[in-house]
Amino acid sequence: MQIQVNTGNGIENKDALERWADGEIRQTLGRFAADVTRVEIHLSDENHDASGGGARRCVMEARLVHHQPVAVTQHAPNLDEAFRGASDKLKRALDSALGRLNNHRDRDSIRKDGGAVAE
């Protein structure tokens, strides 16, 4: 699983932030490693020019093998809360998306059964 961190204006200490984000995402989404090829993280300060506290935004997009990407957005007063909120949302979204594909109402999906024959 590749992890790419993109930062906007107003975000400092990019190298340390990238290392931290890489470790956190690998820990949070590790069980999806077989299904996720890449995670893109976009961190930005929406009120960079305004004085005082700003709104931080974290957008995460997971690229899945043979499926549409899954994207989430989280706004928060600081980068840590925005990042953690987005990673939790992404984990739930992947659980939902991949769970629907693999298991429908606690029954095995016919989509996974190569021997299923339509009559």
Side-chain angles (χ1 to χ4, degrees):
M1 173 172 44
Q2 263 187 324
I3 298 173
Q4 180 179 352
V5 179
N6 302 305
T7 57
N9 292 336
I11 307 299
E12 298 177 6
N13 203 4
K14 186 176 181 198
D15 292 335
L17 183 62
E18 284 180 5
R19 286 190 303 275
W20 174 78
D22 186 271
E24 290 291 318
I25 289 297
R26 288 189 192 283
Q27 181 179 351
T28 303
L29 304 180
R31 68 187 180 126
F32 301 110
D35 297 307
V36 176
T37 59
R38 183 174 71 205
V39 177
E40 291 186 31
I41 304 165
H42 302 273
L43 298 166
S44 61
D45 182 352
E46 294 187 324
N47 296 330
H48 176 63
D49 294 332
S51 61
R56 307 295 195 259
R57 181 177 69 167
C58 180
V59 178
M60 291 188 184
E61 179 180 31
R63 302 289 177 109
L64 303 173
V65 177
H66 305 296
H67 301 291
Q68 294 293 319
V70 175
V72 297
T73 302
Q74 178 70 32
H75 297 269
N78 61 54
L79 279 178
D80 184 55
E81 288 180 30
F83 180 87
R84 292 182 191 281
S87 65
D88 288 342
K89 280 184 178 180
L90 186 59
K91 181 180 175 185
R92 287 191 307 271
L94 289 172
D95 268 334
S96 178
L98 296 173
R100 275 195 310 267
L101 293 171
N102 296 328
N103 192 352
H104 183 69
R105 295 185 184 166
D106 295 328
R107 292 179 286 181
D108 287 333
S109 171
I110 62 171
R111 291 181 195 107
K112 289 175 35 178
D113 186 9
V117 178
E119 293 182 29

